[in-house]
Structures are given as C-alpha cells and as structure tokens.
Amino acid sequence: MTEEHWSAEVRRDDGALRQLAAEWDDLAARCRTATSFQSAAWLTSWWHAYGSPGRLRLLLVRRDGRLVAGAALTVRYRPYPVLVPVGAGLSDYADVLLDDACVDRAAAELAAILPAHRAWAVADLREVRPDGAAQRLLAHWPGRCGRLPDSVCQHLPALPMEELLRRLPGRTAQRSRVKQRKLAEAGVAVRETPVGEVPEAVGALLRLHALQWRGRGATPEHLGERFALHLREAVHGMVAAGRASVQEYRLDGELVAVNVLLLSPRLAGLYLYGAHPSLRRRLDIAGLLFGESLARTLRDGVPVLSLLRGSEPYKQRWRPDQDRNQRLVFGGGRFAPAAVLHLGAVRLRAAAARTARARLPWLARVRTRLRELRSAAARD
C-alpha cells in the first residue's frame, strides 16, 4: 500500500485566491458544509474590494497533491494580530473548507498551520454555522480556544407554497393566500438574468435598493461604490459557476425589482433585493420575491431556503426555524495573552450589549418596535 503524502503551505501573495480559483471551487464541491460565501468568486471579489495588500493568509493542505483543506484569512491589528475570514462583515456564513473524504485528518493538518499558535496572535472566525467545517478545528487545537454565540439565522424547508402556508396560523395563512392571488393576477413578468447581463442587473438592483431605503436608514455599506464593485464581480462569477441566480421583475414592461438568490447544494439564501417604492403600494413585495426564490430552490432540489442573518419582523411572518451562528476564537498557548485579552473583550462587549437592551427605557423600546414594523411594512 502506497503511503499518502501530505503537504501544507500558507500563501500571502495578493493574487493567490484568483490563481487558485478552480482548485478552490473543486474542494468546495467536496465539502458538504460549503455555501456560496465560500466560493472563489465571492472571496476573490471581496479581497479585490476590501482586502489590504500583504495581509492575505491563504492556508492550503494537500494530500498526494490534491487540495483537501483551505482557509482564506486576512490579518487585522487590534493592536495584536487577529486573523479573520476573508469576506468578514458581508458573509452571512463564514467557514473553512475540508474534503469530506478525509475531514478529520484534513482538519488536524489545517489546525497545525493556522498562524495563531504564537502568544500574540488570535484567529477569530465569526458567523460559523453550528455544523460548519471550522467546528472540526476545535478538536485538534492544542491551545486556548472559545466558542461564543453569534448572529441568528433563519430558514425554511423548501416546500411548495401551499404546503408552506399550512405552517402558518389561520389568519396569517389566509392573508398570505390573498396576497399570493393578487400577485398572480398582477401579471408581473419574471426573468432570470443571463450571465452576460448580471453586472448590469446588479447595478439596477443597487439603484432600486437605494431608492427603496431613501430616508429610512439604509445599511450605509450597501450604498457605497466599494460594495457595488464587490457585488457585481461576485454575483457575476457565482452565476457563471451555478452558485447564484439573479431574478428581474417587470410590471407593464418596467423593471420594478431585482433579487439575488445564492445557491449551494444544501441551502439557498435570499441575499439582497431592490424594489421600486411604488411597487409596495400595489403588491406584496416580500411575497413576490420569496415565491420566486422558493420556486427556484425547489427546481434545483435544494432542501432549505435560508433567510440568512437577522430576525426582522417581515421574516417572522413565514414562521421560520432558527439557528444561531457561532464565533470560534483560537489562541496560542493555554494562557496566551492575546487570546485571553480577545476573549475577555468579546465577552465584555456582549454583556454590555445585553445590559443596554435590558435597561432600554419603555418608550425607547416602543419607538424601536414601531421602526421595525414600519420597515417590515415597507419590505412587504
């Protein structure tokens, strides 16, 4: 029996992600936990728009020359070096990649080269799914590590609309059926954007997104040119690779909404949409986009439609199931000062946030709830 040859390297050159894109996506196809946020197109475009030259740390493990483990990280200073995932902030799910055929050995080899073994270095992996591949690293980590709660993500089983409506309480289901009938009668034309037209469609999405949120507290990052650069490049690459779909919605010949749906074998994800403000006075926007995304998810045989991060009221209408992402922190030795400081700071910030919410005056809570309801109505 021929002995296996394992090798590992850390690439720091800024072009490494682009150069290894095909090999990276081949590994992602062999990693059951991988989502579209781990695709080469998403990571490469994020690095192009947000990365700092010289700070990429691309960890690679090969077995007999074939890539079987990978982690795309970047260095930040706080003031000690902290390794965070490429895509941090914009990725609803972060993770490493491990080949399903040798997952435990690959995790051990990857943990061995993770550059957080030094006393003044930390790896901070946020938004890892409870079953994410990065969870495997904990079993092989010799130093200090911690697992903390992170964002809530919501999801629904990919079922035909009528079956999904049966999950809802009677009045909610009845209202939803009425809205669905109005959508069917309105004559909205839906078109899946060809790959060559994706950058233009994403540009239209962002213009509509800015218009729908004008004066209502949009996420600032979503209105910037850097995000536009990232999203156009990422979605174009993901559509070409079958990792995303872009739907355009026209009413009386006018483009009124655009939606990006992320696709992976285990789940689809409603990422971002833009809709003209006048449309919400006529139709159920959330129901329109959700219905089409659900239909595409079913056609592809994907079992789950994720609503991604956040517990906004408009998502609650569908009575989704919930999971909480996790934050994995790895430090050098058991008493590594950077790990101790970092874990302590994270826990203090979380405790302060909980205390602030608990002490929020009654009137402020009412105002916050009213803003959420207005936001939900606007989305619907």
Tab-separated table of all heavy atoms in Angstrom, residues 266-308:
chain	number	residue	atom	x	y	z
A	266	ARG	N	-26.778	22.416	-0.285
A	266	ARG	CA	-27.531	22.195	0.952
A	266	ARG	C	-28.508	23.305	1.280
A	266	ARG	O	-29.448	23.102	2.045
A	266	ARG	CB	-26.563	22.008	2.123
A	266	ARG	CG	-25.702	20.758	2.010
A	266	ARG	CD	-24.870	20.561	3.247
A	266	ARG	NE	-25.692	20.242	4.409
A	266	ARG	CZ	-25.331	20.502	5.663
A	266	ARG	NH1	-24.198	21.116	5.918
A	266	ARG	NH2	-26.123	20.164	6.668
A	267	LEU	N	-28.265	24.522	0.773
A	267	LEU	CA	-29.204	25.603	1.059
A	267	LEU	C	-29.100	26.697	0.017
A	267	LEU	O	-28.049	26.908	-0.594
A	267	LEU	CB	-29.000	26.173	2.461
A	267	LEU	CG	-27.675	26.867	2.834
A	267	LEU	CD1	-27.667	28.324	2.397
A	267	LEU	CD2	-27.468	26.808	4.330
A	268	ALA	N	-30.232	27.371	-0.182
A	268	ALA	CA	-30.269	28.597	-0.974
A	268	ALA	C	-30.449	29.750	0.002
A	268	ALA	O	-30.960	29.562	1.115
A	268	ALA	CB	-31.413	28.549	-1.977
A	269	GLY	N	-30.031	30.952	-0.395
A	269	GLY	CA	-30.112	32.078	0.524
A	269	GLY	C	-30.591	33.348	-0.153
A	269	GLY	O	-30.070	33.729	-1.210
A	270	LEU	N	-31.594	34.001	0.435
A	270	LEU	CA	-32.075	35.293	-0.058
A	270	LEU	C	-31.109	36.367	0.435
A	270	LEU	O	-31.141	36.747	1.599
A	270	LEU	CB	-33.483	35.555	0.483
A	270	LEU	CG	-34.603	34.717	-0.137
A	270	LEU	CD1	-35.812	34.696	0.789
A	270	LEU	CD2	-34.993	35.282	-1.480
A	271	TYR	N	-30.266	36.868	-0.476
A	271	TYR	CA	-29.201	37.762	-0.019
A	271	TYR	C	-29.597	39.233	-0.027
A	271	TYR	O	-29.534	39.917	0.994
A	271	TYR	CB	-27.930	37.560	-0.859
A	271	TYR	CG	-26.780	38.408	-0.329
A	271	TYR	CD1	-26.232	38.137	0.916
A	271	TYR	CD2	-26.271	39.469	-1.065
A	271	TYR	CE1	-25.201	38.915	1.427
A	271	TYR	CE2	-25.238	40.252	-0.561
A	271	TYR	CZ	-24.704	39.973	0.683
A	271	TYR	OH	-23.700	40.743	1.197
A	272	LEU	N	-30.000	39.774	-1.173
A	272	LEU	CA	-30.276	41.209	-1.259
A	272	LEU	C	-31.235	41.458	-2.416
A	272	LEU	O	-31.196	40.755	-3.422
A	272	LEU	CB	-28.979	41.989	-1.502
A	272	LEU	CG	-29.048	43.509	-1.356
A	272	LEU	CD1	-29.264	43.909	0.099
A	272	LEU	CD2	-27.758	44.156	-1.880
A	273	TYR	N	-32.100	42.452	-2.239
A	273	TYR	CA	-33.003	42.814	-3.332
A	273	TYR	C	-33.163	44.319	-3.372
A	273	TYR	O	-32.888	45.035	-2.409
A	273	TYR	CB	-34.363	42.128	-3.185
A	273	TYR	CG	-35.278	42.717	-2.127
A	273	TYR	CD1	-36.157	43.762	-2.426
A	273	TYR	CD2	-35.277	42.222	-0.821
A	273	TYR	CE1	-37.000	44.294	-1.466
A	273	TYR	CE2	-36.114	42.747	0.146
A	273	TYR	CZ	-36.974	43.791	-0.182
A	273	TYR	OH	-37.799	44.324	0.771
A	274	GLY	N	-33.637	44.791	-4.517
A	274	GLY	CA	-34.028	46.183	-4.670
A	274	GLY	C	-35.383	46.228	-5.326
A	274	GLY	O	-35.645	45.468	-6.264
A	275	ALA	N	-36.280	47.087	-4.823
A	275	ALA	CA	-37.632	47.188	-5.380
A	275	ALA	C	-38.057	48.655	-5.399
A	275	ALA	O	-37.766	49.406	-4.467
A	275	ALA	CB	-38.616	46.366	-4.560
A	276	HIS	N	-38.737	49.053	-6.450
A	276	HIS	CA	-39.199	50.434	-6.552
A	276	HIS	C	-40.236	50.714	-5.464
A	276	HIS	O	-41.143	49.904	-5.234
A	276	HIS	CB	-39.809	50.686	-7.932
A	276	HIS	CG	-39.931	52.139	-8.254
A	276	HIS	ND1	-40.933	52.937	-7.736
A	276	HIS	CD2	-39.158	52.961	-9.029
A	276	HIS	CE1	-40.783	54.170	-8.173
A	276	HIS	NE2	-39.717	54.212	-8.955
A	277	PRO	N	-40.129	51.862	-4.773
A	277	PRO	CA	-41.066	52.151	-3.676
A	277	PRO	C	-42.529	52.123	-4.091
A	277	PRO	O	-43.403	51.744	-3.292
A	277	PRO	CB	-40.652	53.561	-3.225
A	277	PRO	CG	-39.238	53.700	-3.661
A	277	PRO	CD	-39.109	52.906	-4.923
A	278	SER	N	-42.830	52.479	-5.323
A	278	SER	CA	-44.231	52.499	-5.759
A	278	SER	C	-44.835	51.099	-5.804
A	278	SER	O	-46.057	50.936	-5.729
A	278	SER	CB	-44.350	53.148	-7.143
A	278	SER	OG	-43.666	52.368	-8.114
A	279	LEU	N	-43.962	50.066	-5.905
A	279	LEU	CA	-44.467	48.699	-6.023
A	279	LEU	C	-45.149	48.243	-4.741
A	279	LEU	O	-46.136	47.492	-4.782
A	279	LEU	CB	-43.311	47.751	-6.369
A	279	LEU	CG	-43.676	46.311	-6.735
A	279	LEU	CD1	-44.558	46.277	-7.967
A	279	LEU	CD2	-42.414	45.491	-6.949
A	280	ARG	N	-44.644	48.685	-3.586
A	280	ARG	CA	-45.220	48.203	-2.334
A	280	ARG	C	-46.649	48.708	-2.102
A	280	ARG	O	-47.364	48.163	-1.263
A	280	ARG	CB	-44.311	48.574	-1.155
A	280	ARG	CG	-44.261	50.037	-0.797
A	280	ARG	CD	-43.489	50.218	0.513
A	280	ARG	NE	-43.371	51.609	0.889
A	280	ARG	CZ	-42.340	52.383	0.608
A	280	ARG	NH1	-41.323	51.884	-0.077
A	280	ARG	NH2	-42.301	53.639	1.001
A	281	ARG	N	-47.039	49.769	-2.815
A	281	ARG	CA	-48.417	50.244	-2.678
A	281	ARG	C	-49.394	49.373	-3.465
A	281	ARG	O	-50.601	49.469	-3.281
A	281	ARG	CB	-48.513	51.701	-3.155
A	281	ARG	CG	-47.743	52.685	-2.284
A	281	ARG	CD	-48.121	54.116	-2.617
A	281	ARG	NE	-47.640	54.523	-3.938
A	281	ARG	CZ	-46.472	55.112	-4.152
A	281	ARG	NH1	-45.655	55.356	-3.122
A	281	ARG	NH2	-46.099	55.453	-5.370
A	282	ARG	N	-48.848	48.537	-4.342
A	282	ARG	CA	-49.700	47.723	-5.202
A	282	ARG	C	-49.634	46.237	-4.873
A	282	ARG	O	-50.629	45.527	-5.008
A	282	ARG	CB	-49.305	47.931	-6.665
A	282	ARG	CG	-49.346	49.373	-7.123
A	282	ARG	CD	-48.778	49.550	-8.518
A	282	ARG	NE	-49.499	48.783	-9.518
A	282	ARG	CZ	-49.163	48.761	-10.811
A	282	ARG	NH1	-48.130	49.471	-11.242
A	282	ARG	NH2	-49.871	48.036	-11.655
A	283	LEU	N	-48.437	45.771	-4.458
A	283	LEU	CA	-48.240	44.335	-4.317
A	283	LEU	C	-47.433	43.998	-3.071
A	283	LEU	O	-46.763	44.867	-2.492
A	283	LEU	CB	-47.514	43.782	-5.553
A	283	LEU	CG	-48.231	43.882	-6.900
A	283	LEU	CD1	-47.294	43.490	-8.015
A	283	LEU	CD2	-49.483	43.013	-6.913
A	284	ASP	N	-47.474	42.731	-2.697
A	284	ASP	CA	-46.691	42.185	-1.588
A	284	ASP	C	-45.285	41.873	-2.106
A	284	ASP	O	-45.033	40.803	-2.665
A	284	ASP	CB	-47.385	40.928	-1.064
A	284	ASP	CG	-46.576	40.201	-0.006
A	284	ASP	OD1	-45.639	40.803	0.548
A	284	ASP	OD2	-46.895	39.024	0.249
A	285	ILE	N	-44.354	42.818	-1.920
A	285	ILE	CA	-43.005	42.659	-2.472
A	285	ILE	C	-42.315	41.431	-1.891
A	285	ILE	O	-41.745	40.607	-2.620
A	285	ILE	CB	-42.155	43.911	-2.212
A	285	ILE	CG1	-42.757	45.121	-2.928
A	285	ILE	CG2	-40.716	43.688	-2.679
A	285	ILE	CD1	-42.040	46.416	-2.635
A	286	ALA	N	-42.346	41.301	-0.558
A	286	ALA	CA	-41.676	40.162	0.073
A	286	ALA	C	-42.249	38.843	-0.432
A	286	ALA	O	-41.511	37.895	-0.713
A	286	ALA	CB	-41.796	40.256	1.589
A	287	GLY	N	-43.575	38.783	-0.577
A	287	GLY	CA	-44.201	37.565	-1.082
A	287	GLY	C	-43.809	37.264	-2.516
A	287	GLY	O	-43.625	36.110	-2.900
A	288	LEU	N	-43.678	38.320	-3.324
A	288	LEU	CA	-43.276	38.156	-4.722
A	288	LEU	C	-41.875	37.564	-4.827
A	288	LEU	O	-41.651	36.553	-5.506
A	288	LEU	CB	-43.335	39.514	-5.429
A	288	LEU	CG	-42.784	39.582	-6.857
A	288	LEU	CD1	-43.616	38.735	-7.799
A	288	LEU	CD2	-42.734	41.032	-7.339
A	289	LEU	N	-40.915	38.199	-4.146
A	289	LEU	CA	-39.524	37.746	-4.221
A	289	LEU	C	-39.362	36.378	-3.564
A	289	LEU	O	-38.637	35.512	-4.069
A	289	LEU	CB	-38.609	38.769	-3.556
A	289	LEU	CG	-38.698	40.211	-4.070
A	289	LEU	CD1	-37.759	41.115	-3.298
A	289	LEU	CD2	-38.383	40.276	-5.559
A	290	PHE	N	-40.033	36.202	-2.442
A	290	PHE	CA	-39.930	34.939	-1.730
A	290	PHE	C	-40.492	33.793	-2.568
A	290	PHE	O	-39.903	32.716	-2.647
A	290	PHE	CB	-40.674	35.045	-0.402
A	290	PHE	CG	-40.659	33.777	0.398
A	290	PHE	CD1	-39.559	33.445	1.166
A	290	PHE	CD2	-41.734	32.908	0.363
A	290	PHE	CE1	-39.539	32.268	1.894
A	290	PHE	CE2	-41.731	31.730	1.082
A	290	PHE	CZ	-40.628	31.411	1.856
A	291	GLY	N	-41.649	34.028	-3.203
A	291	GLY	CA	-42.271	32.978	-4.007
A	291	GLY	C	-41.389	32.525	-5.151
A	291	GLY	O	-41.245	31.318	-5.410
A	292	GLU	N	-40.772	33.471	-5.852
A	292	GLU	CA	-39.901	33.109	-6.971
A	292	GLU	C	-38.634	32.408	-6.485
A	292	GLU	O	-38.164	31.450	-7.108
A	292	GLU	CB	-39.540	34.356	-7.774
A	292	GLU	CG	-40.677	34.901	-8.602
A	292	GLU	CD	-41.188	33.895	-9.621
A	292	GLU	OE1	-40.367	33.144	-10.191
A	292	GLU	OE2	-42.406	33.848	-9.855
A	293	SER	N	-38.076	32.883	-5.371
A	293	SER	CA	-36.869	32.236	-4.829
A	293	SER	C	-37.183	30.820	-4.369
A	293	SER	O	-36.378	29.897	-4.559
A	293	SER	CB	-36.312	33.061	-3.666
A	293	SER	OG	-35.892	34.330	-4.110
A	294	LEU	N	-38.338	30.635	-3.772
A	294	LEU	CA	-38.750	29.307	-3.331
A	294	LEU	C	-38.915	28.374	-4.530
A	294	LEU	O	-38.474	27.214	-4.499
A	294	LEU	CB	-40.065	29.407	-2.553
A	294	LEU	CG	-40.650	28.094	-2.039
A	294	LEU	CD1	-39.709	27.436	-1.045
A	294	LEU	CD2	-42.012	28.343	-1.389
A	295	ALA	N	-39.526	28.886	-5.604
A	295	ALA	CA	-39.712	28.060	-6.797
A	295	ALA	C	-38.370	27.628	-7.378
A	295	ALA	O	-38.196	26.462	-7.780
A	295	ALA	CB	-40.515	28.841	-7.844
A	296	ARG	N	-37.394	28.535	-7.417
A	296	ARG	CA	-36.072	28.183	-7.952
A	296	ARG	C	-35.382	27.176	-7.039
A	296	ARG	O	-34.738	26.224	-7.509
A	296	ARG	CB	-35.223	29.450	-8.098
A	296	ARG	CG	-33.767	29.193	-8.493
A	296	ARG	CD	-33.654	28.469	-9.841
A	296	ARG	NE	-32.347	27.904	-10.053
A	296	ARG	CZ	-31.373	28.490	-10.760
A	296	ARG	NH1	-31.580	29.669	-11.317
A	296	ARG	NH2	-30.212	27.904	-10.912
A	297	THR	N	-35.518	27.365	-5.742
A	297	THR	CA	-34.918	26.426	-4.783
A	297	THR	C	-35.485	25.020	-4.975
A	297	THR	O	-34.746	24.029	-4.968
A	297	THR	CB	-35.180	26.917	-3.344
A	297	THR	OG1	-34.656	28.247	-3.189
A	297	THR	CG2	-34.526	26.012	-2.321
A	298	LEU	N	-36.789	24.926	-5.169
A	298	LEU	CA	-37.425	23.629	-5.395
A	298	LEU	C	-36.960	22.996	-6.702
A	298	LEU	O	-36.692	21.794	-6.762
A	298	LEU	CB	-38.946	23.804	-5.406
A	298	LEU	CG	-39.622	23.977	-4.042
A	298	LEU	CD1	-41.048	24.479	-4.206
A	298	LEU	CD2	-39.607	22.654	-3.279
A	299	ARG	N	-36.858	23.821	-7.759
A	299	ARG	CA	-36.420	23.283	-9.064
A	299	ARG	C	-35.018	22.684	-8.973
A	299	ARG	O	-34.725	21.686	-9.622
A	299	ARG	CB	-36.432	24.385	-10.126
A	299	ARG	CG	-37.803	24.779	-10.612
A	299	ARG	CD	-37.735	25.461	-11.981
A	299	ARG	NE	-36.846	26.609	-12.000
A	299	ARG	CZ	-37.196	27.845	-11.667
A	299	ARG	NH1	-38.431	28.091	-11.244
A	299	ARG	NH2	-36.330	28.838	-11.759
A	300	ASP	N	-34.175	23.300	-8.165
A	300	ASP	CA	-32.796	22.823	-8.029
A	300	ASP	C	-32.662	21.659	-7.051
A	300	ASP	O	-31.567	21.113	-6.889
A	300	ASP	CB	-31.889	23.966	-7.571
A	300	ASP	CG	-31.559	24.934	-8.699
A	300	ASP	OD1	-32.192	24.827	-9.763
A	300	ASP	OD2	-30.672	25.790	-8.525
A	301	GLY	N	-33.746	21.323	-6.356
A	301	GLY	CA	-33.683	20.219	-5.397
A	301	GLY	C	-32.920	20.557	-4.138
A	301	GLY	O	-32.429	19.661	-3.438
A	302	VAL	N	-32.809	21.851	-3.819
A	302	VAL	CA	-32.127	22.288	-2.594
A	302	VAL	C	-33.124	22.185	-1.437
A	302	VAL	O	-34.264	22.655	-1.556
A	302	VAL	CB	-31.615	23.735	-2.748
A	302	VAL	CG1	-30.947	24.209	-1.465
A	302	VAL	CG2	-30.647	23.824	-3.926
A	303	PRO	N	-32.744	21.589	-0.308
A	303	PRO	CA	-33.733	21.303	0.740
A	303	PRO	C	-34.122	22.479	1.635
A	303	PRO	O	-35.140	22.410	2.322
A	303	PRO	CB	-33.050	20.210	1.575
A	303	PRO	CG	-31.585	20.443	1.375
A	303	PRO	CD	-31.446	20.942	-0.037
A	304	VAL	N	-33.310	23.546	1.641
A	304	VAL	CA	-33.537	24.632	2.607
A	304	VAL	C	-33.439	25.980	1.908
A	304	VAL	O	-32.544	26.202	1.084
A	304	VAL	CB	-32.495	24.580	3.758
A	304	VAL	CG1	-32.608	25.802	4.657
A	304	VAL	CG2	-32.675	23.307	4.578
A	305	LEU	N	-34.356	26.888	2.249
A	305	LEU	CA	-34.268	28.277	1.812
A	305	LEU	C	-33.935	29.114	3.042
A	305	LEU	O	-34.750	29.234	3.959
A	305	LEU	CB	-35.586	28.744	1.190
A	305	LEU	CG	-35.613	30.213	0.740
A	305	LEU	CD1	-34.561	30.488	-0.324
A	305	LEU	CD2	-36.993	30.600	0.231
A	306	SER	N	-32.739	29.678	3.055
A	306	SER	CA	-32.295	30.467	4.203
A	306	SER	C	-32.676	31.934	4.015
A	306	SER	O	-32.536	32.495	2.925
A	306	SER	CB	-30.775	30.345	4.370
A	306	SER	OG	-30.324	31.199	5.412
A	307	LEU	N	-33.151	32.544	5.107
A	307	LEU	CA	-33.405	33.981	5.129
A	307	LEU	C	-32.189	34.729	5.666
A	307	LEU	O	-32.249	35.932	5.888
A	307	LEU	CB	-34.646	34.278	5.986
A	307	LEU	CG	-35.900	33.451	5.641
A	307	LEU	CD1	-37.076	33.878	6.508
A	307	LEU	CD2	-36.243	33.555	4.170
A	308	LEU	N	-31.126	33.979	5.923
A	308	LEU	CA	-29.829	34.499	6.346
A	308	LEU	C	-29.925	35.238	7.677
A	308	LEU	O	-30.800	34.957	8.485
A	308	LEU	CB	-29.204	35.341	5.231
A	308	LEU	CG	-29.012	34.572	3.899
A	308	LEU	CD1	-28.393	35.457	2.835
A	308	LEU	CD2	-28.186	33.314	4.097
